[in-house]
Amino acid sequence: MSIPDYMQCAEDHQTVLVVVQPVGIVPEDQFFKIYKRIASVSQVNIRDSQRLLYIRYRHHYLPENNEWGDFQTHRKVVGLIAITTCGSSKEWPQMTERFHGQKEVYNSTLYDSRLLVFGLQGEIAEQQRTDMAFYPGFEDCPDVEKRVEDFVESIFIVLESKRLDRATDKSGDKIPLLCVPFEKKDFVGLDTDSSLLLGVKRHYKKRCQGRMRKHVGDLCLQAGMLQDALVHYHMAVELLRGVNDFLWLGAALEGLCSASVIFHYPGGTAGKMVGHRPNISQSADTGKRHRPGAQEVLIDPGALTANGISADTSTEIGRAKNCLSPEDIIEKYKEAISYYGKYKNAGVIELEACVKAVRVLAIQKRAREASEFLQNAVYINLGQLSEEEKIQRYSILSELYELIGFHRKSAFFKRVAAMQCVAPTIPEPGWRACYKLLLETLPGYSLSLDPKDFNKGTHRGWAAVQMRLLHELVYASRRMGNPGLSVRHLSFLLQTMLDFLSDQEKKEVTQSLENYTSKCPGGMEVITLPDGLKLPPVPFTKLPIVRSVKLLDLPVSLRPHKVKGLLGQNMSTASPFIYSPIIMHNRGEERCKKIDFQWVQGDVCEVQLMVYNPMPYELRVENVGLLTSGVEFESLPAALSLPAESGLYPVTLVGVPRTAGNITVNGYHTSVFGVTSDCLLELLPGVKTSGCLVEVIPSLPRLQLSTSLPRSAHTPQPMSKEELSSAVSVQLFNGETQQMTITLENIGSEDIDTLELTSKIVSTKEKVFGEFLSWELEEALSHLPLKPGQAVTLVVIIKVRLDFSGQENLLQDLNDDGISVTGLPISSPLRQVLKPRPETKPISSESSKAEYSHIKTLEAVLNFKYSGGTGKVEGYYRELSVGVHVDVEPSVFFTRVSTLPATSTRQCHLLLDIFNPTEHELTVSAKNNQDLVLHASECQRMAIQVDKFDFENLPQPDQEMIHFTNPKQLEEERQHAQGCQINSKLGICWTIPSLRRSGEASVEGVLNQLVLEHLQLAPLQWDVLVNRKACDCDVIADCKVGDAVTLEVKLTNLSKSSVGPLALTVVPYQDYQNGVQNYDLEDAVTFIGSNTFYIDTVKPKESSLCVGALLFLYTGDFYLNIKFQDDSAGRELPLAWFTLPSVHIQAQDTPLQAGA
């Protein structure tokens, strides 16, 4: 016997062997269909008995194995079922002959046989025969199972008769010697009857008895009499041990083990729950069944009944004690195998015994001892095995190691079997079988073909062995002619084993991969093998390695903003509660947290990846793009080349969302070495990300801005360059005006429907007078909506008016008599104040230029707010900012301002000390005044006669503003308004002829409270009329001596409260222009009536008129001094309110009448 049955198990000893074979030409599929139905009858309840008969079917069995049937009866073919097809009666004799020929093969051991005939009809088919069954076809055979059961019962009858015949001890009968095939030649010619061989004869007889007793034990076990079998096995062991018949002693011990296993493990040891049950009462000895070291109690064979059942229950209990304990089973197996090992020709028996013992130990969970049996099985020499037999042997060893939990050992033998499939001695190597076996080894080496399993913590298994196995898979798949499989396995090797590859190995693997992908590119599809195994895709998440993924906000000029009033219009599903578990639950389902900025439909969006190249050479990555979901997204692939071991390297991936909604960035895709990879972020636990979900709002227009002024490198603080679309820079003299033309072009795909413009000064150190930036937007708005590609222009006026006069004492060393001082070599005004210049030390103009670098900076931001398209409907807009940087040089400034009264009460003289800090000649002009020429660093005084100002008529802030505004701020605003009014009246301008530059000069910064009071028009306006002519501004009223002169005093109350009553006294006097004034004029001037005027209460906005008369008696220049009486209530008001114009009257002689 050269071919072992590796599927043998201990419970097979109780089965009878039936061979099922085709006769003639039978379709293979139909044969196995009937074979499965026959094999389903694996156990049969014997009628009129409590016993079960177990059947083992084989469709192929070597006749040489049948010769070992006396050694172990379960190896003996006792039944034959032949299956044939017969189309006509003519073929029948031939089929019958073939059937008899098939029986001849196993004739020496057959108990019974059956022939199942399919397709034959007619007289022959109608014959009633016990050894044959006729069926019209393979589909029309309902009673096949019943026929098989009847056939098995007939086998049992023969089996039982043989058991009874052999078990009966007939004294004096000669017991034949049972032999195994290789023993027969040893006993040829041996005369056992010779008296000379008495000792040999006794020894021979015991051997015959022992072997027969063991044989009867086999028959009892097959017949379902477990306890009888145990008794016979025990007796056989004792007999055979005494004569050192080691081969059969081993068989007897193995039989004893098999019977004990059947008793202890009714479910079997082959892993199939067939429900084997011994036919004895087990309940009586349930507690003792597994008791270690159970004693072997031998029972007298004479106590056995004909059917093996004893009515004495105590005998039943005794029988159970003949069973070995689980521990003893293994010891007896070891002993039996050691006896088998003494015989070279019993290698198959020894190997099968090892396999049976391993299966028992697997159930007992004694893996270490089972591995010892398997190790012994590895070294059993079975002679010259074919390659197929070697493959089968190693495969079974692998399965057995797997059964006991030795996964790596199992994988080792499975791999040996795979290599045996393609051994050099095989003319046609089985690469497919090799590949299939190699796949089965993967779990044993902690290797999975799913790359996801390698993202879970530390690496499991021996990397060197795993790489070897993967290389073998690659080679096997290539030899199979499947380059796609080679690419997948090589990609898996590179992805999962990258950390364990040397630099040279990395280079070799990538070169091989490129060679394979040149013929068959790698992709992300799942590869399904013929046996149904699916190979998942292998994304190259380590080529390159991504450390972080960051979604970038749009540039500041393209970021959408939500109209404040519409912030909540899309929150209709929001809960009114502060906390809602439903909302929290929904948020928890989101894979990534939502980012607090938005992307815009149709605009390019960016995602930044921080990557590095772990390879020792330059890595070329192609077709790098984003993987998204949620909205339609157009990814714009890129290609990059990373230097060897580059370290962290930023890569920006871009794309355009084509629809609105919530977009999730799921990962990225690459193409490396010809392999396309889709790398999902959820499978990259080491990647840092601030969120992957962002809202895409509907499309908005895009505006591009250009200006007429040069671009600037300056960025207004505290803004950054990213916040500005552009910045312009210009240098101006203080008071100068510059126009900036801004061109706005719609470069998007949506119409611009709305446009707003605001400005903000960001450098607040300097005090700015007036509007720094001004514009007229109506013309630009008239072009809306602005279609894509259209442009509109806008003029922005830049006007700088800063205060450079913060040094009131600049001219402290000049005379105060109002004369002009020219050619003043003055340096920094600040220096003049903090460090007065010594009068004896002249200062050079060079040093003054070096020290005076008082250039001030003014910065502002123009902000364009625009919207349109679908985004406008949703309440979104965009902003575009332009930075304006102006370097302001001083032009002229006023170092001192004072006032002198004029001849009119409604006018005054404003005295301005003007300084020219520039290096150029400068001309200053004012309304109704002569031009003043100032040389570089020169100071002169200018006197301007101005009408006093009615500040009461300036716009007043409302009460709400007064309530919520700082009083200091209110005062500054009031002074600013007054200064603007004064500037507009003065109209002081400067011109630098050499530079052709001009501008305005402002006095706002130097106006103090005293000057403002002098310039303010009193709320009580007094008008004095002489003969109905106003007297003011050096007007001389003339009259005739002797004529009555009317004198009218009119009071107009422009204050906010009532004034009066008042009393005025008119006192005439003469001024001799030498400091002497004569008030004694009673003889020269007389009043017609009283010289005192009484004015009743004058309400606000009303006036009162007093009329009187004078009479001049002499000629001359007279003055009238109108004074208030001391007891007047009006004295509570400021004195300046009661300043009346001086009245100058010239009295002349009356001309003589002609002819008088």
Side-chain angles (χ1 to χ4, degrees), residues 381-419:
N381 184 14
L382 299 181
Q384 293 295 325
L385 297 178
S386 67
E387 299 298 337
E388 187 176 347
E389 290 168 350
K390 290 178 182 178
I391 294 169
Q392 184 186 15
R393 183 180 184 183
Y394 293 133
S395 298
I396 292 299
L397 284 171
S398 170
E399 291 177 8
L400 292 173
Y401 271 116
E402 185 71 26
L403 184 66
I404 63 175
F406 281 40
H407 304 296
R408 192 166 61 238
K409 197 81 169 179
S410 169
F412 170 80
F413 282 103
K414 188 81 74 174
R415 179 180 167 275
V416 172
M419 295 297 103

Side-chain angles (χ1 to χ4, degrees), residues 58-343:
R58 292 287 183 271
H59 55 78
H60 178 73
Y61 197 72
L62 291 176
E64 64 180 85
N65 290 359
N66 198 37
E67 297 176 2
W68 289 74
D70 289 340
F71 183 69
Q72 290 175 326
T73 56
H74 72 282
R75 300 182 185 276
K76 184 186 297 184
V77 179
V78 297
L80 172 67
I81 299 177
I83 299 173
T84 186
T85 58
C86 186
S88 64
S89 57
K90 294 180 181 180
E91 301 175 4
W92 176 244
Q94 183 181 1
M95 291 298 169
T96 306
E97 185 177 348
R98 287 184 178 180
F99 174 55
H100 288 298
Q102 195 84 0
K103 286 199 294 184
E104 287 298 322
V105 177
Y106 306 107
N107 193 45
S108 61
T109 60
L110 281 180
Y111 292 174
D112 201 356
S113 62
R114 290 290 184 272
L115 175 64
L116 303 182
V117 184
F118 292 89
L120 183 63
Q121 296 180 349
E123 295 180 3
I124 299 175
E126 294 173 358
Q127 297 177 6
Q128 297 295 325
R129 298 182 58 170
T130 56
D131 61 340
M132 296 182 185
F134 298 92
Y135 299 102
F138 289 100
E139 305 298 332
D140 189 11
C141 51
D143 64 339
V144 167
E145 290 83 1
K146 181 66 173 65
R147 291 270 189 175
V148 174
E149 288 181 8
D150 294 341
F151 170 62
V152 171
E153 288 191 359
S154 70
I155 290 177
F156 174 76
I157 293 171
V158 180
L159 174 67
E160 183 68 5
S161 66
K162 287 184 177 291
R163 182 190 70 80
L164 292 173
D165 183 51
R166 298 287 174 90
T168 305
D169 183 12
K170 297 177 181 178
S171 300
D173 288 356
K174 184 178 178 181
I175 301 174
L177 178 67
L178 302 176
C179 300
V180 294
F182 69 84
E183 286 181 325
K184 291 180 180 179
K185 65 179 184 296
D186 298 333
F187 294 104
V188 174
L190 181 64
D191 184 7
T192 58
D193 296 329
S194 173
S195 59
L196 296 176
L197 301 172
L198 185 62
V200 175
K201 184 176 180 180
R202 190 181 301 112
H203 190 276
Y204 178 80
K205 185 176 181 181
K206 282 189 176 182
R207 177 178 291 187
C208 293
Q209 289 175 343
R211 293 189 178 186
M212 183 57 69
R213 185 65 68 179
K214 184 265 171 196
H215 180 66
V216 173
D218 286 349
L219 293 175
C220 290
L221 191 60
Q222 285 183 308
M225 303 178 67
L226 178 64
Q227 297 300 339
D228 286 18
L230 286 169
V231 171
H232 287 295
Y233 284 139
H234 276 296
M235 295 177 69
V237 167
E238 294 299 322
L239 289 169
L240 294 171
R241 197 186 298 276
V243 294
N244 292 333
D245 192 356
F246 295 117
L247 181 63
W248 286 79
L249 174 59
L253 289 170
E254 186 182 355
L256 186 60
C257 291
S258 298
S260 301
V261 168
I262 292 168
F263 179 80
H264 282 295
Y265 308 109
T269 61
K272 300 176 181 177
M273 300 297 290
V274 294
H276 294 175
R277 292 181 59 83
N279 67 335
I280 65 165
S281 174
Q282 298 179 11
S283 58
D285 196 39
T286 302
K288 303 175 184 178
R289 180 177 304 168
H290 298 285
R291 181 171 55 86
Q295 298 296 317
E296 298 179 2
V297 180
L298 299 182
I299 298 176
D300 182 7
L304 301 178
T305 61
N307 59 3
I309 301 174
S310 172
D312 188 358
T313 56
S314 63
T315 308
E316 294 281 339
I317 297 172
R319 286 175 182 172
K321 292 181 180 179
N322 289 281
C323 182
L324 300 176
S325 69
E327 291 78 9
D328 288 339
I329 290 173
I330 303 306
E331 293 302 319
K332 298 303 180 185
Y333 262 126
K334 287 181 181 178
E335 186 179 353
I337 290 169
S338 68
Y339 292 148
Y340 290 150
K342 296 177 182 293
Y343 298 88

Side-chain angles (χ1 to χ4, degrees), residues 51 67 140 307 338 374 488 500-501 585 595 607 750 774 793 837 850 859 882 888 1010 1156:
R51 284 181 277 173
E67 297 176 2
D140 189 11
N307 59 3
S338 68
L374 281 176
R488 179 59 53 87
F500 304 99
L501 292 171
H585 177 70
I595 305 177
V607 176
E750 299 286 342
S774 58
T793 58
R837 150 172 78 94
E859 292 177 327
V882 183
V888 185
L1010 182 61

Side-chain angles (χ1 to χ4, degrees), residues 522-726:
M524 290 298 293
E525 67 280 354
V526 176
I527 297 178
T528 304
L529 299 178
D531 58 356
L533 180 66
K534 296 182 184 297
L535 298 185
V538 181
F540 278 153
T541 58
K542 293 184 178 180
L543 297 172
I545 296 176
V546 177
R547 281 292 176 231
S548 68
V549 176
K550 181 181 181 182
L551 278 63
L552 301 181
D553 199 353
L554 294 173
V556 176
S557 59
L558 296 180
R559 289 177 192 170
H561 303 274
K562 186 81 170 177
V563 178
K564 291 183 179 179
L566 301 175
L567 282 176
Q569 71 176 13
N570 292 328
M571 298 175 66
S572 57
T573 59
S575 170
F577 301 103
I578 295 175
Y579 169 78
S580 170
I582 299 175
I583 293 177
M584 294 302 292
H585 177 70
N586 291 339
R587 288 177 182 168
E589 291 177 353
E590 295 181 7
R591 188 174 69 249
C592 301
K593 62 180 181 180
K594 196 170 183 179
I595 305 177
D596 59 357
F597 58 76
Q598 291 93 23
W599 284 350
V600 180
Q601 173 187 344
D603 283 358
V604 174
C605 306
E606 297 178 332
V607 176
Q608 187 182 69
L609 276 60
M610 296 301 293
V611 305
Y612 75 87
N613 172 21
M615 305 300 279
Y617 50 84
E618 184 180 22
L619 181 65
R620 176 74 179 170
V621 188
E622 299 176 346
N623 194 32
V624 189
L626 294 172
L627 298 174
T628 61
S629 62
V631 304
E632 183 182 341
F633 187 80
E634 178 187 354
S635 180
L636 305 177
L640 59 139
S641 183
L642 297 173
E645 298 175 348
S646 60
L648 281 180
Y649 189 88
V651 175
T652 301
L653 303 182
V654 298
V656 180
R658 294 301 180 189
T659 56
N662 286 331
I663 186 172
T664 303
V665 176
N666 299 317
Y668 59 95
H669 61 81
T670 61
S671 179
V672 183
F673 306 127
V675 178
T676 302
S677 303
D678 290 346
C679 305
L680 301 178
L681 298 182
E682 61 182 6
L683 302 180
L684 301 175
V687 172
K688 295 179 181 178
T689 176
S690 57
C692 303
L693 181 65
V694 68
E695 181 185 3
V696 178
I697 67 163
S699 56
L700 285 169
R702 290 184 62 183
L703 201 58
Q704 181 175 278
L705 182 145
S706 59
T707 66
S708 59
L709 295 181
R711 296 180 67 86
S712 169
H714 295 281
T715 301
Q717 298 294 334
M719 305 185 75
S720 62
K721 287 186 178 180
E722 289 77 13
E723 296 180 42
L724 299 175
S725 61
S726 65

Side-chain angles (χ1 to χ4, degrees), residues 1137-1148:
W1137 289 23
F1138 299 95
T1139 304
L1140 274 71
S1142 176
V1143 182
H1144 185 182
I1145 303 174
Q1146 193 174 50
Q1148 299 177 355

Side-chain angles (χ1 to χ4, degrees), residues 92 260 271 285 293 336 353 464 514 607 630 639 738 786 794 869 877 946 1131 1138:
W92 176 244
S260 301
D285 196 39
E514 287 180 318
V607 176
Q738 173 77 49
L786 198 64
L794 174 70
Y877 63 91
V946 293
R1131 299 299 290 167
F1138 299 95

